[in-house]
Short mmCIF file of all heavy atoms in Angstrom, two decimals:
data_model
loop_
_atom_site.label_atom_id
_atom_site.label_comp_id
_atom_site.label_asym_id
_atom_site.label_seq_id
_atom_site.Cartn_x
_atom_site.Cartn_y
_atom_site.Cartn_z
N MET A 1496 79.20 31.63 105.36
CA MET A 1496 80.13 30.51 105.28
C MET A 1496 79.72 29.61 104.13
O MET A 1496 78.56 29.26 104.00
CB MET A 1496 80.14 29.73 106.60
CG MET A 1496 81.08 28.55 106.55
SD MET A 1496 81.09 27.50 107.99
CE MET A 1496 81.58 28.63 109.25
N THR A 1497 80.68 29.25 103.31
CA THR A 1497 80.45 28.38 102.16
C THR A 1497 80.63 26.92 102.59
O THR A 1497 81.58 26.59 103.28
CB THR A 1497 81.45 28.71 101.04
OG1 THR A 1497 81.28 30.07 100.68
CG2 THR A 1497 81.22 27.83 99.82
N VAL A 1498 79.71 26.06 102.16
CA VAL A 1498 79.80 24.62 102.45
C VAL A 1498 80.07 23.90 101.14
O VAL A 1498 79.35 24.08 100.15
CB VAL A 1498 78.52 24.09 103.11
CG1 VAL A 1498 78.60 22.59 103.31
CG2 VAL A 1498 78.27 24.79 104.44
N ILE A 1499 81.11 23.07 101.16
CA ILE A 1499 81.47 22.26 100.00
C ILE A 1499 81.14 20.81 100.37
O ILE A 1499 81.77 20.24 101.26
CB ILE A 1499 82.97 22.39 99.64
CG1 ILE A 1499 83.31 23.85 99.30
CG2 ILE A 1499 83.33 21.49 98.48
CD1 ILE A 1499 83.88 24.60 100.45
N ASP A 1500 80.16 20.25 99.71
CA ASP A 1500 79.72 18.89 100.03
C ASP A 1500 80.42 17.91 99.09
O ASP A 1500 80.08 17.81 97.91
CB ASP A 1500 78.21 18.77 99.89
CG ASP A 1500 77.67 17.45 100.41
OD1 ASP A 1500 78.47 16.53 100.67
OD2 ASP A 1500 76.43 17.34 100.55
N ALA A 1501 81.42 17.22 99.61
CA ALA A 1501 82.16 16.23 98.82
C ALA A 1501 81.94 14.82 99.38
O ALA A 1501 82.74 13.92 99.15
CB ALA A 1501 83.65 16.58 98.82
N ARG A 1502 80.84 14.64 100.09
CA ARG A 1502 80.54 13.30 100.64
C ARG A 1502 80.34 12.33 99.49
O ARG A 1502 79.71 12.66 98.48
CB ARG A 1502 79.29 13.35 101.52
CG ARG A 1502 79.53 14.13 102.80
CD ARG A 1502 78.28 14.25 103.62
NE ARG A 1502 77.38 15.20 102.94
CZ ARG A 1502 76.23 15.62 103.45
NH1 ARG A 1502 75.83 15.17 104.63
NH2 ARG A 1502 75.50 16.48 102.79
N GLY A 1503 80.92 11.14 99.64
CA GLY A 1503 80.80 10.11 98.63
C GLY A 1503 81.87 10.16 97.55
O GLY A 1503 81.96 9.26 96.73
N HIS A 1504 82.68 11.20 97.55
CA HIS A 1504 83.76 11.32 96.57
C HIS A 1504 85.08 10.87 97.18
O HIS A 1504 85.32 11.06 98.37
CB HIS A 1504 83.90 12.78 96.10
CG HIS A 1504 82.73 13.26 95.33
ND1 HIS A 1504 82.54 12.98 94.00
CD2 HIS A 1504 81.66 14.01 95.71
CE1 HIS A 1504 81.41 13.53 93.59
NE2 HIS A 1504 80.86 14.16 94.62
N ARG A 1505 85.94 10.32 96.36
CA ARG A 1505 87.26 9.85 96.80
C ARG A 1505 88.32 10.86 96.38
O ARG A 1505 88.11 11.68 95.50
CB ARG A 1505 87.58 8.48 96.18
CG ARG A 1505 86.56 7.40 96.50
CD ARG A 1505 86.41 7.09 97.96
NE ARG A 1505 87.42 6.13 98.38
CZ ARG A 1505 87.77 5.93 99.63
NH1 ARG A 1505 87.21 6.61 100.58
NH2 ARG A 1505 88.67 5.05 99.92
N CYS A 1506 89.48 10.74 97.00
CA CYS A 1506 90.63 11.57 96.71
C CYS A 1506 90.93 11.49 95.21
O CYS A 1506 90.87 10.40 94.65
CB CYS A 1506 91.81 11.04 97.52
SG CYS A 1506 93.35 11.90 97.26
N PRO A 1507 91.18 12.59 94.56
CA PRO A 1507 91.45 13.93 95.05
C PRO A 1507 90.25 14.88 94.99
O PRO A 1507 90.39 16.07 95.21
CB PRO A 1507 92.55 14.43 94.12
CG PRO A 1507 92.14 13.85 92.78
CD PRO A 1507 91.56 12.49 93.12
N THR A 1508 89.05 14.36 94.68
CA THR A 1508 87.90 15.23 94.46
C THR A 1508 87.58 16.17 95.62
O THR A 1508 87.36 17.37 95.38
CB THR A 1508 86.66 14.39 94.07
OG1 THR A 1508 86.98 13.63 92.89
CG2 THR A 1508 85.46 15.26 93.80
N PRO A 1509 87.56 15.71 96.89
CA PRO A 1509 87.27 16.67 97.96
C PRO A 1509 88.24 17.86 97.99
O PRO A 1509 87.81 19.01 98.11
CB PRO A 1509 87.37 15.82 99.24
CG PRO A 1509 87.02 14.44 98.78
CD PRO A 1509 87.64 14.33 97.41
N SER A 1510 89.52 17.59 97.84
CA SER A 1510 90.51 18.67 97.84
C SER A 1510 90.35 19.58 96.63
O SER A 1510 90.49 20.80 96.74
CB SER A 1510 91.93 18.11 97.87
OG SER A 1510 92.17 17.49 99.11
N LEU A 1511 90.04 19.01 95.48
CA LEU A 1511 89.86 19.83 94.28
C LEU A 1511 88.64 20.73 94.40
O LEU A 1511 88.68 21.90 94.01
CB LEU A 1511 89.74 18.94 93.04
CG LEU A 1511 91.01 18.18 92.65
CD1 LEU A 1511 90.72 17.21 91.50
CD2 LEU A 1511 92.12 19.14 92.29
N LYS A 1512 87.55 20.21 94.96
CA LYS A 1512 86.35 21.03 95.17
C LYS A 1512 86.64 22.16 96.16
O LYS A 1512 86.21 23.29 95.96
CB LYS A 1512 85.19 20.17 95.69
CG LYS A 1512 84.57 19.29 94.64
CD LYS A 1512 83.39 18.53 95.21
CE LYS A 1512 82.61 17.88 94.10
NZ LYS A 1512 81.18 17.96 94.30
N LEU A 1513 87.37 21.83 97.23
CA LEU A 1513 87.72 22.85 98.21
C LEU A 1513 88.64 23.90 97.59
O LEU A 1513 88.46 25.10 97.79
CB LEU A 1513 88.40 22.21 99.43
CG LEU A 1513 88.87 23.18 100.51
CD1 LEU A 1513 87.70 24.01 101.06
CD2 LEU A 1513 89.56 22.42 101.63
N GLN A 1514 89.61 23.46 96.80
CA GLN A 1514 90.53 24.40 96.16
C GLN A 1514 89.78 25.37 95.24
O GLN A 1514 90.05 26.57 95.25
CB GLN A 1514 91.58 23.63 95.37
CG GLN A 1514 92.60 24.50 94.68
CD GLN A 1514 93.66 23.69 93.96
OE1 GLN A 1514 93.59 22.48 93.86
NE2 GLN A 1514 94.66 24.36 93.46
N LYS A 1515 88.83 24.87 94.48
CA LYS A 1515 88.06 25.72 93.58
C LYS A 1515 87.27 26.77 94.37
O LYS A 1515 87.28 27.95 94.03
CB LYS A 1515 87.11 24.87 92.74
CG LYS A 1515 86.29 25.65 91.76
CD LYS A 1515 85.42 24.74 90.93
CE LYS A 1515 84.58 25.55 89.94
NZ LYS A 1515 83.69 24.69 89.16
N ALA A 1516 86.62 26.36 95.44
CA ALA A 1516 85.85 27.28 96.27
C ALA A 1516 86.77 28.27 96.97
O ALA A 1516 86.44 29.46 97.10
CB ALA A 1516 85.02 26.51 97.29
N PHE A 1517 87.92 27.80 97.43
CA PHE A 1517 88.88 28.65 98.13
C PHE A 1517 89.36 29.77 97.22
O PHE A 1517 89.39 30.94 97.61
CB PHE A 1517 90.08 27.79 98.58
CG PHE A 1517 91.07 28.50 99.44
CD1 PHE A 1517 90.97 28.46 100.82
CD2 PHE A 1517 92.13 29.19 98.88
CE1 PHE A 1517 91.91 29.10 101.62
CE2 PHE A 1517 93.07 29.84 99.67
CZ PHE A 1517 92.95 29.79 101.05
N ARG A 1518 89.68 29.44 95.99
CA ARG A 1518 90.19 30.43 95.03
C ARG A 1518 89.12 31.44 94.62
O ARG A 1518 89.43 32.56 94.24
CB ARG A 1518 90.79 29.74 93.82
CG ARG A 1518 92.08 29.04 94.19
CD ARG A 1518 92.89 28.64 92.99
NE ARG A 1518 94.23 28.25 93.43
CZ ARG A 1518 94.93 27.30 92.86
NH1 ARG A 1518 94.45 26.65 91.82
NH2 ARG A 1518 96.13 27.01 93.30
N ALA A 1519 87.85 31.03 94.70
CA ALA A 1519 86.74 31.93 94.36
C ALA A 1519 86.32 32.80 95.54
O ALA A 1519 85.52 33.72 95.38
CB ALA A 1519 85.55 31.12 93.86
N SER A 1520 86.86 32.53 96.72
CA SER A 1520 86.48 33.25 97.94
C SER A 1520 87.29 34.52 98.11
O SER A 1520 88.39 34.64 97.58
CB SER A 1520 86.67 32.35 99.17
OG SER A 1520 85.84 31.23 99.08
N GLY A 1521 86.75 35.41 98.91
CA GLY A 1521 87.47 36.63 99.25
C GLY A 1521 88.31 36.44 100.50
O GLY A 1521 88.38 35.35 101.06
N PRO A 1522 88.95 37.51 100.96
CA PRO A 1522 89.77 37.42 102.16
C PRO A 1522 88.92 37.19 103.41
O PRO A 1522 87.76 37.60 103.47
CB PRO A 1522 90.47 38.78 102.22
CG PRO A 1522 89.64 39.68 101.38
CD PRO A 1522 88.97 38.83 100.35
N ASN A 1523 89.51 36.52 104.38
CA ASN A 1523 88.89 36.27 105.69
C ASN A 1523 87.57 35.52 105.61
O ASN A 1523 86.69 35.74 106.42
CB ASN A 1523 88.70 37.58 106.46
CG ASN A 1523 90.00 38.23 106.79
OD1 ASN A 1523 90.95 37.58 107.17
ND2 ASN A 1523 90.07 39.54 106.62
N GLU A 1524 87.42 34.64 104.64
CA GLU A 1524 86.20 33.84 104.55
C GLU A 1524 86.45 32.45 105.11
O GLU A 1524 87.57 31.94 105.07
CB GLU A 1524 85.73 33.72 103.10
CG GLU A 1524 85.12 34.98 102.56
CD GLU A 1524 84.39 34.74 101.24
OE1 GLU A 1524 83.69 33.72 101.10
OE2 GLU A 1524 84.54 35.60 100.36
N GLN A 1525 85.40 31.85 105.65
CA GLN A 1525 85.49 30.48 106.13
C GLN A 1525 84.73 29.58 105.18
O GLN A 1525 83.66 29.94 104.68
CB GLN A 1525 84.93 30.36 107.54
CG GLN A 1525 85.84 30.95 108.59
CD GLN A 1525 85.43 30.56 110.00
OE1 GLN A 1525 84.42 29.91 110.21
NE2 GLN A 1525 86.23 30.96 110.96
N LEU A 1526 85.31 28.42 104.93
CA LEU A 1526 84.69 27.41 104.10
C LEU A 1526 84.64 26.12 104.90
O LEU A 1526 85.58 25.81 105.64
CB LEU A 1526 85.50 27.18 102.82
CG LEU A 1526 85.65 28.36 101.88
CD1 LEU A 1526 86.92 29.12 102.18
CD2 LEU A 1526 85.66 27.89 100.46
N THR A 1527 83.57 25.37 104.71
CA THR A 1527 83.40 24.10 105.40
C THR A 1527 83.33 22.99 104.37
O THR A 1527 82.47 23.01 103.48
CB THR A 1527 82.12 24.09 106.25
OG1 THR A 1527 82.21 25.13 107.22
CG2 THR A 1527 81.95 22.77 106.97
N LEU A 1528 84.24 22.03 104.49
CA LEU A 1528 84.26 20.87 103.61
C LEU A 1528 83.64 19.69 104.35
O LEU A 1528 84.04 19.38 105.47
CB LEU A 1528 85.70 20.52 103.21
CG LEU A 1528 85.88 19.23 102.40
CD1 LEU A 1528 85.26 19.38 101.00
CD2 LEU A 1528 87.34 18.85 102.30
N LEU A 1529 82.65 19.05 103.71
CA LEU A 1529 82.07 17.81 104.22
C LEU A 1529 82.60 16.69 103.35
O LEU A 1529 82.43 16.72 102.12
CB LEU A 1529 80.55 17.85 104.15
CG LEU A 1529 79.86 19.00 104.87
CD1 LEU A 1529 78.36 18.96 104.63
CD2 LEU A 1529 80.18 18.98 106.35
N ALA A 1530 83.27 15.71 103.95
CA ALA A 1530 83.89 14.64 103.17
C ALA A 1530 83.79 13.31 103.91
O ALA A 1530 83.85 13.27 105.15
CB ALA A 1530 85.35 14.96 102.90
N THR A 1531 83.63 12.24 103.15
CA THR A 1531 83.62 10.90 103.73
C THR A 1531 84.94 10.17 103.46
O THR A 1531 85.16 9.10 104.03
CB THR A 1531 82.44 10.07 103.17
OG1 THR A 1531 82.43 10.18 101.74
CG2 THR A 1531 81.12 10.58 103.72
N ASP A 1532 85.79 10.72 102.63
CA ASP A 1532 87.09 10.11 102.35
C ASP A 1532 88.05 10.48 103.48
O ASP A 1532 88.35 11.67 103.68
CB ASP A 1532 87.62 10.62 101.02
CG ASP A 1532 88.94 9.96 100.61
OD1 ASP A 1532 89.52 9.22 101.43
OD2 ASP A 1532 89.39 10.19 99.49
N PRO A 1533 88.56 9.50 104.23
CA PRO A 1533 89.45 9.81 105.34
C PRO A 1533 90.74 10.51 104.93
O PRO A 1533 91.37 11.17 105.75
CB PRO A 1533 89.74 8.45 105.98
CG PRO A 1533 89.32 7.43 104.99
CD PRO A 1533 88.32 8.07 104.09
N MET A 1534 91.12 10.42 103.66
CA MET A 1534 92.34 11.10 103.21
C MET A 1534 92.21 12.62 103.26
O MET A 1534 93.21 13.33 103.30
CB MET A 1534 92.70 10.66 101.78
CG MET A 1534 93.25 9.25 101.69
SD MET A 1534 94.73 9.00 102.70
CE MET A 1534 95.87 10.09 101.87
N ALA A 1535 90.99 13.13 103.28
CA ALA A 1535 90.79 14.57 103.35
C ALA A 1535 91.41 15.14 104.62
O ALA A 1535 91.91 16.27 104.63
CB ALA A 1535 89.30 14.92 103.29
N ARG A 1536 91.43 14.34 105.69
CA ARG A 1536 92.04 14.77 106.96
C ARG A 1536 93.53 15.07 106.77
O ARG A 1536 94.09 15.94 107.44
CB ARG A 1536 91.84 13.69 108.02
CG ARG A 1536 92.36 14.04 109.37
CD ARG A 1536 92.27 12.87 110.34
NE ARG A 1536 90.91 12.45 110.60
CZ ARG A 1536 90.15 12.92 111.59
NH1 ARG A 1536 90.62 13.85 112.39
NH2 ARG A 1536 88.93 12.47 111.78
N ILE A 1537 94.16 14.38 105.85
CA ILE A 1537 95.58 14.55 105.58
C ILE A 1537 95.80 15.58 104.46
O ILE A 1537 96.67 16.44 104.55
CB ILE A 1537 96.22 13.20 105.20
CG1 ILE A 1537 96.13 12.23 106.38
CG2 ILE A 1537 97.66 13.37 104.73
CD1 ILE A 1537 96.40 10.79 106.03
N ASP A 1538 94.98 15.47 103.41
CA ASP A 1538 95.18 16.31 102.22
C ASP A 1538 94.89 17.79 102.46
O ASP A 1538 95.62 18.65 101.95
CB ASP A 1538 94.29 15.82 101.07
CG ASP A 1538 94.70 14.45 100.56
OD1 ASP A 1538 95.83 14.02 100.85
OD2 ASP A 1538 93.87 13.80 99.88
N VAL A 1539 93.84 18.10 103.19
CA VAL A 1539 93.42 19.50 103.34
C VAL A 1539 94.47 20.35 104.05
O VAL A 1539 94.76 21.46 103.60
CB VAL A 1539 92.03 19.60 104.01
CG1 VAL A 1539 91.70 21.03 104.40
CG2 VAL A 1539 90.97 19.04 103.07
N PRO A 1540 95.09 19.90 105.15
CA PRO A 1540 96.14 20.73 105.75
C PRO A 1540 97.29 21.04 104.79
O PRO A 1540 97.81 22.16 104.78
CB PRO A 1540 96.61 19.91 106.95
CG PRO A 1540 95.41 19.11 107.34
CD PRO A 1540 94.76 18.75 106.02
N PHE A 1541 97.68 20.06 103.96
CA PHE A 1541 98.73 20.32 102.96
C PHE A 1541 98.24 21.33 101.92
O PHE A 1541 98.99 22.22 101.52
CB PHE A 1541 99.16 19.02 102.28
CG PHE A 1541 100.06 18.17 103.12
CD1 PHE A 1541 99.60 16.99 103.66
CD2 PHE A 1541 101.37 18.55 103.37
CE1 PHE A 1541 100.42 16.20 104.45
CE2 PHE A 1541 102.20 17.77 104.15
CZ PHE A 1541 101.72 16.59 104.71
N LEU A 1542 97.00 21.20 101.50
CA LEU A 1542 96.43 22.14 100.53
C LEU A 1542 96.41 23.56 101.10
O LEU A 1542 96.78 24.51 100.42
CB LEU A 1542 95.02 21.70 100.14
CG LEU A 1542 94.27 22.62 99.18
CD1 LEU A 1542 94.98 22.68 97.83
CD2 LEU A 1542 92.83 22.16 99.04
N MET A 1543 96.01 23.69 102.36
CA MET A 1543 95.96 25.02 102.98
C MET A 1543 97.35 25.63 103.09
O MET A 1543 97.53 26.83 102.89
CB MET A 1543 95.29 24.96 104.35
CG MET A 1543 93.80 24.71 104.30
SD MET A 1543 92.90 25.97 103.38
CE MET A 1543 92.63 25.17 101.81
N ARG A 1544 98.34 24.80 103.38
CA ARG A 1544 99.71 25.31 103.43
C ARG A 1544 100.12 25.86 102.07
O ARG A 1544 100.71 26.93 101.97
CB ARG A 1544 100.67 24.20 103.87
CG ARG A 1544 102.10 24.72 104.08
CD ARG A 1544 103.11 23.61 104.22
NE ARG A 1544 103.23 22.97 102.91
CZ ARG A 1544 103.42 21.67 102.74
NH1 ARG A 1544 103.54 20.87 103.76
NH2 ARG A 1544 103.50 21.15 101.52
N ASP A 1545 99.77 25.13 101.01
CA ASP A 1545 100.13 25.56 99.66
C ASP A 1545 99.38 26.81 99.23
O ASP A 1545 99.92 27.63 98.49
CB ASP A 1545 99.88 24.44 98.66
CG ASP A 1545 100.84 23.27 98.81
OD1 ASP A 1545 101.87 23.42 99.51
OD2 ASP A 1545 100.54 22.20 98.24
N LEU A 1546 98.13 26.97 99.67
CA LEU A 1546 97.30 28.09 99.25
C LEU A 1546 97.38 29.29 100.19
O LEU A 1546 96.84 30.35 99.87
CB LEU A 1546 95.83 27.65 99.13
CG LEU A 1546 95.52 26.60 98.08
CD1 LEU A 1546 94.04 26.22 98.15
CD2 LEU A 1546 95.89 27.09 96.69
N GLY A 1547 98.03 29.12 101.33
CA GLY A 1547 98.12 30.22 102.28
C GLY A 1547 96.92 30.32 103.20
O GLY A 1547 96.72 31.34 103.86
N GLY A 1548 96.11 29.29 103.24
CA GLY A 1548 94.93 29.27 104.12
C GLY A 1548 95.24 28.66 105.46
O GLY A 1548 96.39 28.29 105.75
N GLU A 1549 94.22 28.54 106.28
CA GLU A 1549 94.39 28.02 107.64
C GLU A 1549 93.28 27.02 107.94
O GLU A 1549 92.11 27.26 107.64
CB GLU A 1549 94.31 29.17 108.64
CG GLU A 1549 94.40 28.75 110.08
CD GLU A 1549 94.22 29.90 111.05
OE1 GLU A 1549 94.03 31.05 110.60
OE2 GLU A 1549 94.26 29.65 112.25
N VAL A 1550 93.65 25.88 108.52
CA VAL A 1550 92.67 24.92 109.00
C VAL A 1550 92.20 25.39 110.37
O VAL A 1550 92.99 25.55 111.29
CB VAL A 1550 93.26 23.49 109.09
CG1 VAL A 1550 92.24 22.53 109.69
CG2 VAL A 1550 93.71 23.01 107.72
N ILE A 1551 90.90 25.64 110.49
CA ILE A 1551 90.32 26.09 111.75
C ILE A 1551 89.96 24.90 112.63
O ILE A 1551 90.24 24.89 113.83
CB ILE A 1551 89.06 26.96 111.51
CG1 ILE A 1551 89.39 28.14 110.60
CG2 ILE A 1551 88.43 27.40 112.81
CD1 ILE A 1551 90.40 29.10 111.16
N SER A 1552 89.33 23.88 112.04
CA SER A 1552 88.95 22.71 112.82
C SER A 1552 88.73 21.52 111.90
O SER A 1552 88.41 21.67 110.72
CB SER A 1552 87.68 22.97 113.64
OG SER A 1552 86.57 23.18 112.78
N ILE A 1553 88.92 20.33 112.50
CA ILE A 1553 88.61 19.07 111.83
C ILE A 1553 87.86 18.23 112.84
O ILE A 1553 88.36 17.98 113.95
CB ILE A 1553 89.88 18.32 111.37
CG1 ILE A 1553 90.68 19.15 110.37
CG2 ILE A 1553 89.50 16.97 110.77
CD1 ILE A 1553 92.01 18.52 109.95
N SER A 1554 86.65 17.81 112.48
CA SER A 1554 85.88 16.94 113.36
C SER A 1554 85.25 15.84 112.52
O SER A 1554 85.16 15.94 111.29
CB SER A 1554 84.81 17.73 114.11
OG SER A 1554 83.93 18.36 113.21
N GLU A 1555 84.84 14.77 113.20
CA GLU A 1555 84.22 13.66 112.49
C GLU A 1555 83.03 13.16 113.29
O GLU A 1555 83.11 13.01 114.51
CB GLU A 1555 85.22 12.52 112.30
CG GLU A 1555 84.68 11.38 111.48
CD GLU A 1555 85.71 10.32 111.15
OE1 GLU A 1555 86.88 10.48 111.53
OE2 GLU A 1555 85.33 9.34 110.50
N ALA A 1556 81.93 12.93 112.60
CA ALA A 1556 80.73 12.37 113.22
C ALA A 1556 80.02 11.49 112.19
O ALA A 1556 79.81 11.92 111.05
CB ALA A 1556 79.80 13.47 113.71
N ASP A 1557 79.69 10.30 112.58
CA ASP A 1557 78.96 9.36 111.71
C ASP A 1557 79.65 9.16 110.37
O ASP A 1557 78.98 9.09 109.32
CB ASP A 1557 77.52 9.83 111.51
CG ASP A 1557 76.74 9.90 112.82
OD1 ASP A 1557 76.96 9.04 113.69
OD2 ASP A 1557 75.92 10.82 112.97
N GLY A 1558 80.97 9.12 110.36
CA GLY A 1558 81.73 8.87 109.14
C GLY A 1558 81.90 10.06 108.22
O GLY A 1558 82.43 9.92 107.13
N VAL A 1559 81.47 11.24 108.67
CA VAL A 1559 81.60 12.44 107.85
C VAL A 1559 82.59 13.39 108.52
O VAL A 1559 82.42 13.77 109.67
CB VAL A 1559 80.24 13.16 107.66
CG1 VAL A 1559 80.43 14.45 106.87
CG2 VAL A 1559 79.25 12.25 106.96
N LEU A 1560 83.63 13.74 107.77
CA LEU A 1560 84.58 14.74 108.23
C LEU A 1560 84.02 16.12 107.95
O LEU A 1560 83.49 16.38 106.86
CB LEU A 1560 85.92 14.61 107.50
CG LEU A 1560 86.82 13.46 107.89
CD1 LEU A 1560 87.92 13.29 106.85
CD2 LEU A 1560 87.41 13.70 109.25
N THR A 1561 84.14 17.00 108.93
CA THR A 1561 83.78 18.40 108.75
C THR A 1561 85.06 19.19 108.97
O THR A 1561 85.60 19.21 110.07
CB THR A 1561 82.69 18.84 109.75
OG1 THR A 1561 81.54 18.03 109.53
CG2 THR A 1561 82.33 20.31 109.55
N ILE A 1562 85.55 19.80 107.90
CA ILE A 1562 86.82 20.54 107.96
C ILE A 1562 86.52 22.00 107.64
O ILE A 1562 86.03 22.31 106.56
CB ILE A 1562 87.85 19.96 106.98
CG1 ILE A 1562 88.06 18.46 107.24
CG2 ILE A 1562 89.17 20.72 107.07
CD1 ILE A 1562 88.93 17.74 106.23
N VAL A 1563 86.83 22.86 108.60
CA VAL A 1563 86.62 24.29 108.43
C VAL A 1563 87.96 24.95 108.17
O VAL A 1563 88.92 24.74 108.92
CB VAL A 1563 85.94 24.92 109.67
CG1 VAL A 1563 85.74 26.42 109.47
CG2 VAL A 1563 84.61 24.23 109.97
N VAL A 1564 88.02 25.72 107.09
CA VAL A 1564 89.25 26.42 106.72
C VAL A 1564 88.94 27.91 106.55
O VAL A 1564 87.79 28.29 106.37
CB VAL A 1564 89.89 25.85 105.44
CG1 VAL A 1564 90.22 24.37 105.60
CG2 VAL A 1564 89.01 26.09 104.22
N ALA A 1565 89.98 28.72 106.59
CA ALA A 1565 89.83 30.16 106.40
C ALA A 1565 90.80 30.63 105.33
O ALA A 1565 91.94 30.17 105.25
CB ALA A 1565 90.08 30.91 107.69
N THR A 1566 90.32 31.59 104.53
CA THR A 1566 91.19 32.22 103.55
C THR A 1566 92.03 33.28 104.25
O THR A 1566 91.66 33.76 105.32
CB THR A 1566 90.36 32.86 102.41
OG1 THR A 1566 89.52 33.87 102.96
CG2 THR A 1566 89.52 31.83 101.68
N PRO A 1567 93.16 33.63 103.67
CA PRO A 1567 94.04 34.62 104.33
C PRO A 1567 93.44 36.02 104.29
O PRO A 1567 92.51 36.30 103.54
CB PRO A 1567 95.34 34.55 103.52
CG PRO A 1567 94.95 33.98 102.21
CD PRO A 1567 93.74 33.11 102.43
N ASP A 1568 94.02 36.89 105.12
CA ASP A 1568 93.65 38.31 105.13
C ASP A 1568 93.95 38.92 103.78
O ASP A 1568 94.78 38.43 103.02
CB ASP A 1568 94.46 39.08 106.18
CG ASP A 1568 94.14 38.64 107.60
OD1 ASP A 1568 93.09 38.03 107.82
OD2 ASP A 1568 94.96 38.90 108.49
N ALA A 1569 93.30 40.02 103.52
CA ALA A 1569 93.58 40.76 102.29
C ALA A 1569 94.98 41.36 102.39
O ALA A 1569 95.41 41.79 103.46
CB ALA A 1569 92.56 41.89 102.11
N PRO A 1570 95.71 41.35 101.29
CA PRO A 1570 97.06 41.95 101.34
C PRO A 1570 96.97 43.45 101.61
O PRO A 1570 96.04 44.11 101.16
CB PRO A 1570 97.62 41.67 99.94
CG PRO A 1570 96.48 41.26 99.10
CD PRO A 1570 95.36 40.82 99.99
N THR A 1571 97.91 43.93 102.36
CA THR A 1571 97.96 45.37 102.65
C THR A 1571 99.06 46.00 101.82
O THR A 1571 100.01 45.35 101.42
CB THR A 1571 98.21 45.62 104.15
OG1 THR A 1571 99.42 44.98 104.51
CG2 THR A 1571 97.07 45.10 104.97
N GLY A 1572 98.94 47.28 101.62
CA GLY A 1572 100.02 47.95 100.92
C GLY A 1572 99.48 48.70 99.81
O GLY A 1572 99.66 49.25 98.93
#
């Protein structure tokens, strides 16, 4: 599992870091974004919709959002 540490960064940096890691990942991979910007809770689901990914979970502890996403399956055919 890849961890993207975007703590201390403001929008749009957390989403941009996640997008870069997402595009470099293979099929069926999970990525974890750590972010302190509350907008990441809103931005990441929209980003996953645009990229074809899936939000697995969003949790928050001590002001840090932990957002787990998955890349799509490999195309068949």
Side-chain angles (χ1 to χ4, degrees):
M1496 179 184 300
T1497 301
V1498 176
I1499 300 96
D1500 189 349
R1502 291 176 287 186
H1504 294 279
R1505 303 299 275 162
C1506 178
T1508 302
S1510 292
L1511 292 174
K1512 286 183 169 220
L1513 178 59
Q1514 181 177 7
K1515 181 178 179 182
F1517 186 93
R1518 290 195 168 145
S1520 298
N1523 296 318
E1524 286 193 42
Q1525 286 192 356
L1526 298 93
T1527 300
L1528 174 67
L1529 303 176
T1531 49
D1532 184 352
M1534 287 302 295
R1536 183 186 296 270
I1537 297 166
D1538 293 342
V1539 170
F1541 283 109
L1542 177 64
M1543 289 300 102
R1544 186 193 69 216
D1545 290 346
L1546 296 177
E1549 177 184 0
V1550 176
I1551 304 298
S1552 65
I1553 299 176
S1554 59
E1555 184 174 358
D1557 299 324
V1559 177
L1560 285 167
T1561 300
I1562 305 173
V1563 180
V1564 301
T1566 61
D1568 294 342
T1571 57

